[in-house]
Amino acid sequence: MTWLLDYYNYRIVAQYLGRFAEGLGNTLTAAGVSLVLSLLLGTLVALTLLSSRTGLRKPVEGYVAFIRATPLLVQIYLVYYGLPALLPVAKSWNDMYFGIAALTLNSAPYMGEIIRAGIESVPRGQIEGAKAVGMNYAQRMRYVVLPQAFANTLPPLIGQTAVLIKDTSLLSIITVFEFTSAGILLNSERVRPNESFLTIAMGYLLIYLLILLLSRGVKQWLAGPAWNAQG
């Protein structure tokens, strides 16, 4: 066991479990809230990109292009320093709110493109069938198109969710104490990089595995009995 303690001293890590738990809680909070908001905003982005109204579509296309062309690090700084100037109410926000806003604005275009591909993958005949039974546009989207779109695009949505969780590590630049910050704190105080960064890596890996397990249940719920029967 001596060689293990020399390479990864779990006793030192145990002394920082409280800080890792605090950082993990903040990471999951930021990622969870940002995921919900980015899915909602991404759905609006997808529907707008599919719209025939140029006046609505062009600004959204510009927003998507801007997010894709600029680093998340820059976007975080723009939100942190620029949002209070645009929204006076943001001056009273804590750092976590700015982090969630930045992650949401960054992730929504990617979610939107994924959802748009899912919407386009729904067979045209099902949409025509929904029209035939008297469903309006909102009802077709709610009951026919979007459930299938989310089910069809679940793998890339999971991938984007994993990216979103990892991106929370950048929130440390605006002093949000998240999971990576806990590892950096351990390394700065004890100078133990293996214990610091291996713990961070194992933590993110565990989160990803839990997401994969959760996604199976979500896919069954979204796809309905037909998909379950095939499985």
Side-chain angles (χ1 to χ4, degrees):
M1 293 295 292
T2 303
W3 67 269
L4 177 60
L5 292 176
D6 289 339
Y7 184 77
Y8 183 85
N9 194 329
Y10 57 87
R11 295 170 182 170
I12 294 177
V13 176
Q15 296 173 13
Y16 287 81
L17 284 181
R19 303 313 304 273
F20 276 110
E22 178 186 354
L24 179 61
N26 289 334
T27 289
L28 295 178
T29 298
V33 175
S34 300
L35 175 61
V36 173
L37 294 178
S38 62
L39 282 174
L40 294 174
L41 182 57
T43 301
L44 293 177
V45 168
L47 295 176
T48 304
L49 291 175
L50 291 171
S51 173
S52 59
R53 298 182 180 180
T54 305
L56 293 176
R57 191 178 68 254
K58 289 300 182 181
V60 174
E61 289 177 347
Y63 161 55
V64 172
F66 175 80
I67 293 298
R68 285 181 164 181
T70 56
L72 175 57
L73 185 65
V74 174
Q75 296 166 22
I76 292 174
Y77 277 128
L78 287 175
V79 170
Y80 188 70
Y81 292 107
L83 199 58
L86 297 175
L87 296 174
V89 68
K91 295 179 180 179
S92 62
W93 287 6
N94 62 37
D95 296 336
M96 177 66 81
Y97 292 168
F98 288 108
I100 290 173
L103 291 175
T104 299
L105 292 174
N106 173 266
S107 185
Y110 298 100
M111 294 291 190
E113 290 290 356
I114 294 171
I115 295 169
R116 179 174 71 163
I119 292 174
E120 292 177 337
S121 72
V122 176
R124 186 69 186 176
Q126 295 194 23
I127 299 175
E128 295 299 330
K131 290 181 181 179
V133 298
M135 289 187 178
N136 58 32
Y137 178 80
Q139 290 173 328
R140 293 196 301 271
M141 283 295 164
R142 178 180 178 183
Y143 297 110
V144 178
V145 177
L146 288 180
Q148 294 185 71
F150 280 110
N152 292 340
T153 59
L154 197 56
L157 285 176
I158 293 171
Q160 185 58 37
T161 300
V163 171
L164 174 60
I165 293 173
K166 290 185 291 185
D167 284 345
T168 59
S169 61
L170 292 176
L171 299 186
S172 59
I173 65 173
I174 56 173
T175 69
V176 175
F177 188 84
E178 38 69 54
F179 192 63
T180 301
S181 301
I184 294 174
L185 175 65
L186 186 157
N187 189 50
S188 64
E189 292 183 353
R190 306 298 292 270
V191 195
R192 302 289 299 196
N194 286 350
E195 288 77 358
S196 171
F197 298 109
L198 281 176
T199 303
I200 293 172
M202 289 186 292
Y204 283 116
L205 177 60
L206 179 60
I207 294 172
Y208 180 69
L209 293 176
L210 291 175
I211 290 174
L212 288 180
L213 291 175
L214 180 62
S215 69
R216 294 180 181 178
V218 173
K219 186 170 184 177
Q220 292 178 3
W221 177 69
L222 287 174
W227 186 90
N228 295 331
Q230 294 176 3

Coordinates of all heavy atoms in Angstrom, one line a residue, residues 56-131:
L56 N -37.3 37.0 -37.8 CA -37.1 36.3 -36.6 C -35.8 35.4 -36.7 O -35.1 35.3 -35.8 CB -38.3 35.4 -36.2 CG -39.6 36.2 -35.8 CD1 -40.7 35.2 -35.6 CD2 -39.4 37.0 -34.5
R57 N -35.7 34.8 -37.9 CA -34.6 33.8 -38.1 C -33.2 34.4 -38.1 O -32.3 33.9 -37.5 CB -34.9 33.0 -39.3 CG -34.0 31.8 -39.5 CD -34.3 31.0 -40.7 NE -34.0 31.7 -41.9 CZ -34.9 32.2 -42.8 NH1 -36.2 32.1 -42.5 NH2 -34.5 32.9 -43.9
K58 N -33.1 35.5 -38.8 CA -31.7 36.1 -39.0 C -31.1 36.5 -37.7 O -29.9 36.2 -37.5 CB -31.8 37.3 -39.9 CG -32.1 37.0 -41.4 CD -31.0 36.1 -41.9 CE -31.3 35.7 -43.4 NZ -30.2 34.8 -43.9
P59 N -31.7 37.2 -36.7 CA -31.1 37.5 -35.4 C -30.6 36.3 -34.7 O -29.6 36.3 -34.0 CB -32.2 38.3 -34.7 CG -33.0 38.9 -35.7 CD -33.1 37.8 -36.8
V60 N -31.5 35.2 -34.7 CA -31.1 34.0 -34.0 C -29.9 33.3 -34.7 O -29.0 32.8 -34.0 CB -32.3 33.0 -34.0 CG1 -31.9 31.7 -33.4 CG2 -33.4 33.6 -33.2
E61 N -29.9 33.4 -36.0 CA -28.7 32.8 -36.8 C -27.4 33.6 -36.4 O -26.4 33.0 -36.2 CB -28.9 32.9 -38.3 CG -30.0 31.9 -38.8 CD -30.2 32.1 -40.3 OE1 -29.8 33.1 -40.8 OE2 -30.9 31.2 -40.9
G62 N -27.6 34.9 -36.2 CA -26.4 35.7 -35.7 C -26.0 35.3 -34.3 O -24.8 35.2 -34.1
Y63 N -26.9 35.1 -33.5 CA -26.6 34.7 -32.1 C -25.9 33.3 -32.1 O -24.9 33.1 -31.4 CB -27.9 34.6 -31.3 CG -27.9 33.8 -30.0 CD1 -27.0 34.0 -29.0 CD2 -28.8 32.7 -29.8 CE1 -27.0 33.2 -27.9 CE2 -28.8 32.0 -28.7 CZ -27.9 32.2 -27.7 OH -27.9 31.5 -26.6
V64 N -26.4 32.4 -32.9 CA -25.8 31.1 -33.0 C -24.3 31.2 -33.5 O -23.4 30.5 -33.0 CB -26.6 30.1 -33.8 CG1 -25.9 28.8 -34.1 CG2 -28.0 29.8 -33.2
A65 N -24.2 32.0 -34.5 CA -22.8 32.2 -35.1 C -21.9 32.8 -34.1 O -20.7 32.4 -34.0 CB -22.9 33.0 -36.4
F66 N -22.3 33.8 -33.3 CA -21.5 34.4 -32.4 C -21.0 33.4 -31.3 O -19.8 33.4 -30.9 CB -22.2 35.6 -31.7 CG -21.5 36.2 -30.6 CD1 -20.5 37.2 -30.9 CD2 -21.7 35.9 -29.3 CE1 -19.8 37.8 -29.8 CE2 -21.0 36.5 -28.2 CZ -20.0 37.4 -28.5
I67 N -21.9 32.6 -30.8 CA -21.6 31.6 -29.7 C -20.6 30.6 -30.3 O -19.6 30.3 -29.6 CB -22.9 30.9 -29.2 CG1 -23.8 31.9 -28.5 CG2 -22.5 29.8 -28.3 CD1 -23.1 32.6 -27.3
R68 N -20.8 30.2 -31.5 CA -19.9 29.2 -32.1 C -18.5 29.8 -32.4 O -17.5 29.0 -32.3 CB -20.5 28.6 -33.4 CG -21.6 27.7 -33.2 CD -22.2 27.2 -34.5 NE -23.0 26.0 -34.4 CZ -23.5 25.3 -35.4 NH1 -23.4 25.8 -36.6 NH2 -24.3 24.3 -35.2
A69 N -18.4 31.1 -32.6 CA -17.2 31.7 -33.1 C -16.3 32.2 -31.9 O -15.1 32.4 -32.1 CB -17.5 32.8 -34.0
T70 N -16.9 32.3 -30.7 CA -16.1 32.8 -29.6 C -16.0 31.8 -28.5 O -16.8 31.0 -28.3 CB -16.9 34.1 -29.0 OG1 -18.2 33.7 -28.7 CG2 -16.9 35.2 -30.1
P71 N -14.8 31.9 -27.8 CA -14.6 30.9 -26.7 C -15.6 31.2 -25.5 O -16.0 32.3 -25.2 CB -13.2 31.2 -26.3 CG -12.6 32.0 -27.4 CD -13.7 32.8 -28.0
L72 N -15.9 30.1 -24.8 CA -16.7 30.2 -23.6 C -16.1 31.1 -22.6 O -16.8 31.9 -21.9 CB -17.0 28.8 -23.0 CG -17.8 28.8 -21.7 CD1 -19.1 29.5 -21.8 CD2 -17.9 27.3 -21.2
L73 N -14.8 31.1 -22.5 CA -14.1 31.9 -21.5 C -14.4 33.4 -21.7 O -14.7 34.2 -20.8 CB -12.6 31.7 -21.6 CG -11.7 32.5 -20.5 CD1 -12.0 32.0 -19.1 CD2 -10.3 32.3 -20.9
V74 N -14.4 33.8 -23.0 CA -14.8 35.2 -23.3 C -16.2 35.5 -23.0 O -16.6 36.6 -22.5 CB -14.4 35.5 -24.8 CG1 -14.9 36.8 -25.3 CG2 -12.9 35.3 -25.1
Q75 N -17.1 34.5 -23.3 CA -18.5 34.7 -23.1 C -18.8 34.9 -21.6 O -19.7 35.7 -21.2 CB -19.3 33.5 -23.7 CG -19.2 33.4 -25.2 CD -19.7 32.1 -25.7 OE1 -20.4 31.4 -25.0 NE2 -19.2 31.7 -26.9
I76 N -18.1 34.1 -20.8 CA -18.3 34.3 -19.3 C -18.0 35.7 -18.9 O -18.7 36.3 -18.1 CB -17.5 33.2 -18.6 CG1 -18.0 31.8 -18.8 CG2 -17.5 33.5 -17.1 CD1 -17.2 30.7 -18.3
Y77 N -16.8 36.2 -19.4 CA -16.4 37.5 -19.0 C -17.4 38.6 -19.5 O -17.7 39.6 -18.8 CB -15.0 37.8 -19.5 CG -13.9 37.3 -18.7 CD1 -12.9 36.5 -19.2 CD2 -13.8 37.6 -17.3 CE1 -11.9 36.1 -18.4 CE2 -12.8 37.2 -16.5 CZ -11.8 36.4 -17.1 OH -10.8 35.9 -16.3
L78 N -17.9 38.4 -20.7 CA -18.9 39.3 -21.3 C -20.1 39.4 -20.5 O -20.7 40.5 -20.2 CB -19.2 39.0 -22.7 CG -18.1 39.2 -23.8 CD1 -18.5 38.7 -25.2 CD2 -17.8 40.7 -23.9
V79 N -20.6 38.2 -20.1 CA -21.8 38.2 -19.2 C -21.5 38.8 -17.8 O -22.3 39.5 -17.3 CB -22.3 36.7 -19.1 CG1 -23.4 36.6 -18.0 CG2 -22.8 36.2 -20.4
Y80 N -20.4 38.4 -17.3 CA -20.1 38.9 -15.9 C -19.9 40.4 -15.8 O -20.4 41.0 -14.9 CB -18.8 38.2 -15.4 CG -18.5 38.4 -14.0 CD1 -19.2 37.8 -13.0 CD2 -17.4 39.2 -13.6 CE1 -18.9 38.0 -11.6 CE2 -17.1 39.4 -12.3 CZ -17.8 38.8 -11.3 OH -17.5 39.0 -10.0
Y81 N -19.3 41.0 -16.8 CA -19.0 42.4 -16.8 C -20.1 43.2 -17.6 O -20.3 44.4 -17.3 CB -17.6 42.7 -17.3 CG -16.5 42.2 -16.4 CD1 -15.8 41.1 -16.7 CD2 -16.3 42.8 -15.2 CE1 -14.8 40.7 -15.9 CE2 -15.3 42.4 -14.3 CZ -14.5 41.3 -14.7 OH -13.5 40.8 -13.9
G82 N -20.7 42.6 -18.6 CA -21.6 43.3 -19.5 C -23.0 43.3 -19.1 O -23.7 44.3 -19.3
L83 N -23.5 42.2 -18.5 CA -24.9 42.0 -18.2 C -25.3 43.1 -17.2 O -26.5 43.6 -17.3 CB -25.2 40.6 -17.7 CG -26.6 40.2 -17.7 CD1 -27.2 40.2 -19.1 CD2 -26.7 38.7 -17.2
P84 N -24.6 43.4 -16.1 CA -25.0 44.4 -15.2 C -25.3 45.8 -15.8 O -26.1 46.6 -15.4 CB -23.9 44.5 -14.1 CG -23.3 43.2 -14.2 CD -23.3 42.8 -15.6
A85 N -24.5 46.1 -16.9 CA -24.7 47.3 -17.6 C -26.0 47.3 -18.4 O -26.6 48.4 -18.7 CB -23.5 47.6 -18.5
L86 N -26.4 46.1 -18.9 CA -27.6 46.0 -19.7 C -28.9 45.9 -18.8 O -29.9 46.4 -19.2 CB -27.5 44.8 -20.7 CG -26.4 44.9 -21.7 CD1 -26.3 43.6 -22.5 CD2 -26.6 46.1 -22.6
L87 N -28.7 45.1 -17.7 CA -29.8 44.9 -16.8 C -29.4 45.3 -15.4 O -28.7 44.7 -14.7 CB -30.2 43.4 -16.8 CG -30.7 42.7 -18.1 CD1 -30.8 41.2 -17.9 CD2 -32.0 43.3 -18.5
P88 N -30.0 46.5 -15.0 CA -29.6 47.0 -13.7 C -29.9 46.0 -12.5 O -29.1 45.9 -11.6 CB -30.5 48.2 -13.5 CG -30.7 48.7 -14.9 CD -30.8 47.4 -15.7
V89 N -30.9 45.1 -12.7 CA -31.2 44.2 -11.7 C -30.1 43.2 -11.5 O -29.9 42.6 -10.4 CB -32.5 43.4 -12.0 CG1 -32.4 42.5 -13.2 CG2 -33.0 42.6 -10.8
A90 N -29.3 42.9 -12.5 CA -28.2 42.0 -12.5 C -27.1 42.5 -11.5 O -26.2 41.6 -11.2 CB -27.6 41.7 -13.9
K91 N -27.0 43.7 -11.2 CA -26.0 44.2 -10.3 C -26.1 43.6 -8.9 O -25.1 43.6 -8.2 CB -26.1 45.8 -10.2 CG -25.8 46.5 -11.5 CD -26.0 48.0 -11.3 CE -25.7 48.7 -12.6 NZ -25.9 50.2 -12.5
S92 N -27.2 43.1 -8.5 CA -27.4 42.4 -7.2 C -27.2 40.9 -7.3 O -27.4 40.2 -6.3 CB -28.8 42.8 -6.7 OG -29.8 42.2 -7.5
W93 N -26.9 40.4 -8.5 CA -26.8 38.9 -8.6 C -25.5 38.5 -8.0 O -24.5 39.2 -7.9 CB -26.7 38.5 -10.1 CG -28.0 38.6 -10.8 CD1 -29.2 39.1 -10.3 CD2 -28.3 38.2 -12.1 NE1 -30.2 39.0 -11.2 CE2 -29.7 38.5 -12.4 CE3 -27.5 37.7 -13.1 CZ2 -30.2 38.2 -13.6 CZ3 -28.1 37.4 -14.4 CH2 -29.4 37.6 -14.6
N94 N -25.5 37.2 -7.5 CA -24.2 36.6 -7.0 C -23.5 36.0 -8.2 O -24.1 35.9 -9.3 CB -24.4 35.7 -5.9 CG -25.3 34.5 -6.2 OD1 -25.2 34.0 -7.4 ND2 -26.1 34.0 -5.3
D95 N -22.3 35.5 -8.0 CA -21.5 35.0 -9.1 C -22.1 33.8 -9.7 O -21.9 33.5 -10.9 CB -20.1 34.7 -8.6 CG -19.3 35.9 -8.1 OD1 -19.7 37.0 -8.6 OD2 -18.4 35.8 -7.2
M96 N -22.8 32.9 -9.0 CA -23.4 31.8 -9.5 C -24.4 32.1 -10.6 O -24.5 31.4 -11.6 CB -24.1 30.9 -8.4 CG -24.8 29.7 -8.9 SD -23.8 28.4 -9.6 CE -23.2 27.7 -8.1
Y97 N -25.2 33.2 -10.4 CA -26.2 33.6 -11.4 C -25.6 33.9 -12.7 O -26.1 33.6 -13.8 CB -27.1 34.7 -10.8 CG -28.0 34.4 -9.7 CD1 -28.6 35.4 -8.9 CD2 -28.2 33.1 -9.3 CE1 -29.4 35.1 -7.9 CE2 -29.1 32.8 -8.2 CZ -29.7 33.8 -7.5 OH -30.5 33.5 -6.5
F98 N -24.5 34.7 -12.6 CA -23.8 35.0 -13.8 C -23.2 33.8 -14.5 O -23.2 33.7 -15.8 CB -22.6 36.0 -13.5 CG -23.1 37.4 -13.2 CD1 -23.0 37.8 -11.8 CD2 -23.6 38.2 -14.1 CE1 -23.4 39.1 -11.5 CE2 -24.0 39.5 -13.8 CZ -23.9 39.9 -12.5
G99 N -22.7 32.8 -13.7 CA -22.2 31.6 -14.3 C -23.3 30.8 -15.0 O -23.1 30.3 -16.1
I100 N -24.5 30.7 -14.4 CA -25.6 30.0 -15.0 C -26.0 30.7 -16.3 O -26.3 30.0 -17.3 CB -26.8 29.9 -14.0 CG1 -26.4 28.9 -12.9 CG2 -28.0 29.4 -14.7 CD1 -27.4 28.9 -11.7
A101 N -26.1 32.0 -16.3 CA -26.5 32.8 -17.5 C -25.5 32.5 -18.6 O -25.9 32.3 -19.8 CB -26.6 34.3 -17.1
A102 N -24.2 32.6 -18.3 CA -23.2 32.3 -19.4 C -23.3 30.9 -19.9 O -23.2 30.7 -21.1 CB -21.8 32.6 -18.8
L103 N -23.4 29.9 -19.1 CA -23.5 28.6 -19.5 C -24.8 28.3 -20.4 O -24.8 27.6 -21.4 CB -23.5 27.6 -18.3 CG -22.2 27.5 -17.6 CD1 -22.4 26.6 -16.3 CD2 -21.1 26.9 -18.4
T104 N -25.9 28.9 -19.9 CA -27.1 28.8 -20.7 C -27.0 29.4 -22.1 O -27.4 28.8 -23.1 CB -28.3 29.5 -19.9 OG1 -28.4 28.8 -18.6 CG2 -29.6 29.4 -20.7
L105 N -26.5 30.6 -22.1 CA -26.4 31.3 -23.4 C -25.4 30.6 -24.3 O -25.6 30.6 -25.6 CB -25.9 32.7 -23.2 CG -26.9 33.7 -22.5 CD1 -26.3 35.0 -22.3 CD2 -28.2 33.9 -23.4
N106 N -24.4 29.9 -23.8 CA -23.4 29.2 -24.6 C -24.0 27.9 -25.1 O -23.8 27.5 -26.2 CB -22.2 28.9 -23.7 CG -21.2 28.0 -24.5 OD1 -21.2 26.8 -24.2 ND2 -20.4 28.6 -25.3
S107 N -24.7 27.2 -24.2 CA -25.2 25.8 -24.5 C -26.5 25.8 -25.4 O -26.7 24.9 -26.2 CB -25.5 25.0 -23.2 OG -25.8 23.7 -23.5
A108 N -27.3 26.9 -25.3 CA -28.6 26.9 -26.0 C -28.5 26.7 -27.5 O -29.2 26.0 -28.1 CB -29.4 28.2 -25.6
P109 N -27.5 27.4 -28.2 CA -27.4 27.2 -29.6 C -27.1 25.8 -30.0 O -27.6 25.3 -31.0 CB -26.3 28.2 -30.1 CG -26.3 29.2 -29.0 CD -26.7 28.5 -27.7
Y110 N -26.2 25.1 -29.3 CA -25.9 23.7 -29.6 C -27.1 22.8 -29.3 O -27.4 21.9 -30.1 CB -24.7 23.3 -28.7 CG -23.4 24.1 -29.0 CD1 -23.1 25.1 -28.1 CD2 -22.7 23.9 -30.1 CE1 -21.9 25.9 -28.4 CE2 -21.5 24.6 -30.4 CZ -21.1 25.6 -29.5 OH -20.0 26.3 -29.8
M111 N -27.8 23.1 -28.2 CA -29.0 22.3 -28.0 C -30.0 22.6 -29.1 O -30.7 21.6 -29.6 CB -29.6 22.7 -26.6 CG -28.8 22.3 -25.4 SD -28.7 20.6 -25.2 CE -27.9 20.5 -23.6
G112 N -30.1 23.8 -29.5 CA -31.1 24.2 -30.6 C -30.8 23.5 -31.9 O -31.7 23.0 -32.6
E113 N -29.5 23.4 -32.3 CA -29.2 22.7 -33.5 C -29.5 21.2 -33.4 O -30.0 20.6 -34.4 CB -27.7 22.9 -33.8 CG -27.3 24.3 -34.2 CD -27.9 24.7 -35.6 OE1 -28.5 23.8 -36.3 OE2 -27.7 25.8 -36.0
I114 N -29.3 20.6 -32.3 CA -29.6 19.2 -32.1 C -31.1 19.0 -32.1 O -31.6 18.0 -32.8 CB -29.0 18.7 -30.7 CG1 -27.5 18.7 -30.7 CG2 -29.5 17.3 -30.4 CD1 -26.9 18.5 -29.4
I115 N -31.8 19.8 -31.4 CA -33.3 19.7 -31.4 C -33.9 19.9 -32.8 O -34.8 19.2 -33.3 CB -33.9 20.7 -30.4 CG1 -33.5 20.3 -29.0 CG2 -35.4 20.7 -30.5 CD1 -33.8 21.3 -27.9
R116 N -33.3 20.9 -33.6 CA -33.8 21.1 -34.9 C -33.6 19.9 -35.8 O -34.5 19.5 -36.6 CB -33.0 22.3 -35.5 CG -33.5 22.6 -37.0 CD -32.9 23.8 -37.6 NE -31.5 23.7 -37.8 CZ -30.8 24.5 -38.6 NH1 -31.4 25.5 -39.2 NH2 -29.5 24.3 -38.8
A117 N -32.4 19.2 -35.7 CA -32.2 18.0 -36.4 C -33.2 16.9 -36.0 O -33.7 16.2 -36.9 CB -30.8 17.5 -36.2
G118 N -33.6 16.9 -34.7 CA -34.6 15.9 -34.3 C -35.9 16.2 -34.8 O -36.7 15.3 -35.2
I119 N -36.3 17.5 -34.9 CA -37.6 17.9 -35.4 C -37.7 17.5 -36.9 O -38.7 17.0 -37.4 CB -37.8 19.4 -35.3 CG1 -38.0 19.7 -33.8 CG2 -39.0 19.9 -36.1 CD1 -38.1 21.2 -33.5
E120 N -36.6 17.7 -37.6 CA -36.6 17.4 -39.1 C -36.6 15.9 -39.3 O -36.9 15.5 -40.4 CB -35.4 18.1 -39.7 CG -35.5 19.6 -39.8 CD -34.2 20.2 -40.3 OE1 -33.1 19.6 -40.3 OE2 -34.3 21.4 -40.8
S121 N -36.2 15.1 -38.3 CA -36.2 13.7 -38.5 C -37.6 13.0 -38.3 O -37.7 11.9 -38.6 CB -35.2 13.0 -37.5 OG -35.7 13.1 -36.1
V122 N -38.5 13.8 -37.8 CA -39.9 13.2 -37.6 C -40.5 13.1 -38.9 O -40.6 14.0 -39.7 CB -40.7 14.2 -36.7 CG1 -42.1 13.7 -36.5 CG2 -40.1 14.3 -35.3
P123 N -41.1 11.9 -39.2 CA -41.7 11.7 -40.5 C -42.8 12.7 -40.8 O -43.6 13.0 -40.0 CB -42.2 10.2 -40.4 CG -41.4 9.6 -39.4 CD -41.1 10.7 -38.4
R124 N -42.8 13.2 -42.1 CA -43.8 14.1 -42.5 C -45.2 13.6 -42.3 O -46.2 14.3 -42.0 CB -43.5 14.6 -43.9 CG -44.4 15.7 -44.4 CD -44.1 17.0 -43.7 NE -45.0 18.1 -44.1 CZ -44.9 19.3 -43.5 NH1 -44.0 19.5 -42.6 NH2 -45.8 20.2 -43.9
G125 N -45.4 12.3 -42.5 CA -46.7 11.7 -42.5 C -47.3 11.8 -41.1 O -48.5 12.0 -41.0
Q126 N -46.5 11.8 -40.0 CA -47.0 11.9 -38.7 C -47.6 13.3 -38.5 O -48.6 13.5 -37.8 CB -46.0 11.5 -37.7 CG -45.6 10.1 -37.7 CD -44.8 9.7 -36.5 OE1 -44.9 10.3 -35.4 NE2 -44.0 8.6 -36.6
I127 N -46.9 14.3 -39.0 CA -47.3 15.7 -38.9 C -48.6 15.9 -39.6 O -49.5 16.5 -39.1 CB -46.2 16.6 -39.4 CG1 -44.9 16.5 -38.5 CG2 -46.7 18.1 -39.3 CD1 -43.7 17.3 -39.0
E128 N -48.7 15.3 -40.8 CA -49.9 15.5 -41.6 C -51.0 14.7 -40.9 O -52.2 15.2 -40.9 CB -49.7 14.9 -43.0 CG -48.6 15.6 -43.9 CD -49.0 17.1 -44.1 OE1 -50.3 17.3 -44.2 OE2 -48.1 17.9 -44.3
G129 N -50.7 13.6 -40.3 CA -51.8 12.9 -39.6 C -52.3 13.7 -38.4 O -53.5 13.7 -38.1
A130 N -51.4 14.4 -37.7 CA -51.8 15.3 -36.6 C -52.7 16.4 -37.1 O -53.7 16.8 -36.4 CB -50.6 15.8 -35.9
K131 N -52.4 17.0 -38.2 CA -53.2 18.0 -38.8 C -54.6 17.4 -39.2 O -55.6 18.1 -39.0 CB -52.6 18.6 -40.1 CG -51.3 19.4 -39.9 CD -50.8 19.9 -41.2 CE -49.5 20.7 -41.0 NZ -49.0 21.2 -42.3

